[in-house]
Amino acid sequence: MISIVICSVNPAHLEEVRANIHATIGVPYEVLAYDNRNTGKGICEVYNQGAQESRFPIICFMHEDVQMRTPDWGKTVLGIFDAQPQAGIVGVAGGGYKSLAPSGWNCEQFQSDEKSFQHILQGYKYDNRPELYVNHNPRNEPLSEVVCVDGVWLCTRKELAIAKPFDQQLLKGFHGYDIDFCLSHFGSHKIYVTYDILMVHYSEGNFNKEWLDTILKLHQKWSQSLPLSICSLSEREIYFTEKRSIKELIEQMMDWEYSFWDIHRMLLVFRRSRKVSAKLFFKAYLHLLELSWQGSKSPSFKELRP
């Protein structure tokens, strides 16, 4: 039996996904849907409430702008948790490397086929594009172990969601909750992507300055534990992945008009990791100084401020 928790902001979408769940899940279930249009609550608070009020041992936290395409997908979910005692979290998209440099669940600068594992139909809300079938299974296996999964659809055991809940004190909005929840359970339980369940997600997400503000907070919390990977990597591979990642992040932050001191503080957090050398920190800081010097000659450069 499965409890499904939904943080809703669109009654029409909620009605559609309820009907879709009923037609496809194939096992006893309950839907705990919370109208969050005017509450001021972040998704972590809503999900924690759902976990506390749920009745069943497996919980699926899912967005309302999805459509399940696999018949009897609930049987697949229960089968995974029954067959894998160490399974803690299951999703349909995830990353094999979580960088120290602030990022989403997928580190684009990790030059390996194992940077992402996905089985999903991606729709587009912000771009006029047709649905894209994304099936990336580099190991050709039914389940792939990952570090983090995408929160579009995230299943877990109720006992884990109660023992280590979503961080509603730190994360007040609607970003970063999936990464944080996975990092909380990584190491004690396995985190998987399944290829036996297919769904459509009708939004590609909105990665903007608000999103990055949250990711920066998240990395301040986890910097001493990162980077993390499910594959064996040399120090050289980690070094060059993080070098590419931090340089691109500095450039993005400058494009989004973060101040010099905002980026300076981010780099001090980056330096906390025990897995990344002082050499990389100083190279990143030098990159910031060079870009700041170049930008200071432009009228559009944001004035340095403490």
Side-chain angles (χ1 to χ4, degrees), residues 12-110:
H13 287 172
L14 179 59
E15 184 177 349
E16 290 172 3
V17 78
R18 278 185 185 273
N20 173 252
I21 291 167
H22 183 75
T24 60
I25 190 169
V27 298
Y29 72 96
E30 64 174 350
V31 174
L32 294 91
Y34 299 88
D35 186 339
N36 202 43
R37 286 174 292 175
N38 300 302
T39 68
K41 295 180 180 179
I43 196 169
C44 289
E45 185 175 356
V46 174
Y47 277 3
N48 286 338
Q49 180 182 351
Q52 290 288 345
E53 296 177 355
S54 64
R55 295 186 294 134
F56 300 143
I58 300 299
I59 305 175
C60 283
F61 300 96
M62 63 187 290
H63 291 192
E64 63 184 346
D65 58 345
V66 302
Q67 183 185 71
M68 308 301 294
R69 292 286 178 85
T70 301
D72 294 335
W73 58 268
K75 295 178 182 178
T76 301
V77 171
L78 296 180
I80 291 171
F81 284 105
D82 286 344
Q84 306 286 338
Q86 286 300 309
I89 300 171
V90 175
V92 291
Y97 181 88
K98 182 66 198 79
S99 63
L100 171 62
S103 72
W105 56 262
N106 181 15
C107 177
E108 291 293 337
Q109 295 77 23
F110 181 44

Side-chain angles (χ1 to χ4, degrees), residues 108-264:
E108 291 293 337
Q109 295 77 23
F110 181 44
Q111 296 182 347
S112 166
D113 281 344
E114 297 188 339
K115 73 179 180 181
S116 71
F117 303 79
Q118 301 184 63
H119 185 239
I120 192 168
L121 280 163
Q122 182 61 65
Y124 293 91
K125 178 179 179 180
Y126 302 102
D127 293 328
N128 185 20
R129 298 168 57 183
E131 291 176 3
L132 176 66
Y133 176 48
V134 184
N135 183 31
H136 188 233
N137 185 355
R139 299 175 185 162
N140 193 28
E141 56 192 357
L143 278 176
S144 291
E145 186 178 350
V146 296
V147 179
C148 300
V149 297
D150 189 330
V152 61
W153 185 86
L154 182 160
C155 297
T156 189
R157 300 180 192 272
K158 176 175 178 174
E159 62 191 82
L160 301 188
I162 299 299
K164 293 182 180 179
F166 294 90
D167 191 344
Q168 66 185 63
Q169 300 305 316
L170 178 67
L171 305 174
K172 303 290 187 180
F174 301 89
H175 302 295
Y177 63 94
D178 44 4
I179 300 171
D180 181 71
F181 188 74
C182 289
L183 293 180
S184 294
H185 295 281
F186 183 83
S188 60
H189 290 81
K190 300 292 187 181
I191 303 171
Y192 290 113
V193 163
T194 176
Y195 305 94
D196 292 330
I197 296 173
L198 183 64
M199 68 188 68
V200 185
H201 183 208
Y202 290 108
S203 173
E204 70 273 35
N206 190 9
F207 300 98
N208 53 21
K209 191 174 185 293
E210 180 183 350
W211 169 81
L212 184 52
D213 285 342
T214 302
I215 296 300
L216 292 173
K217 291 180 183 178
L218 186 63
H219 275 252
Q220 189 168 0
K221 174 181 177 180
W222 291 104
S223 60
Q224 295 187 38
S225 303
L226 298 173
L228 292 171
S229 177
I230 45 81
C231 47
S232 179
L233 299 175
S234 68
E235 291 185 7
R236 177 181 173 83
E237 288 174 303
I238 294 174
Y239 176 85
F240 283 104
T241 297
E242 294 296 336
K243 181 180 178 181
R244 289 187 292 267
S245 299
I246 198 66
K247 288 181 68 175
E248 291 188 23
L249 176 63
I250 291 169
E251 293 162 9
Q252 182 65 77
M253 291 182 74
M254 294 192 74
D255 285 345
W256 284 347
E257 295 190 333
Y258 283 86
S259 74
F260 176 92
W261 296 106
D262 290 332
I263 304 174
H264 163 81

Side-chain angles (χ1 to χ4, degrees), residues 254 258-261 288 292-293 296 301-306:
M254 294 192 74
Y258 283 86
S259 74
F260 176 92
W261 296 106
L288 169 61
S292 299
W293 174 252
S296 66
F301 180 69
K302 191 169 187 179
E303 184 178 353
L304 299 184
R305 67 180 193 278

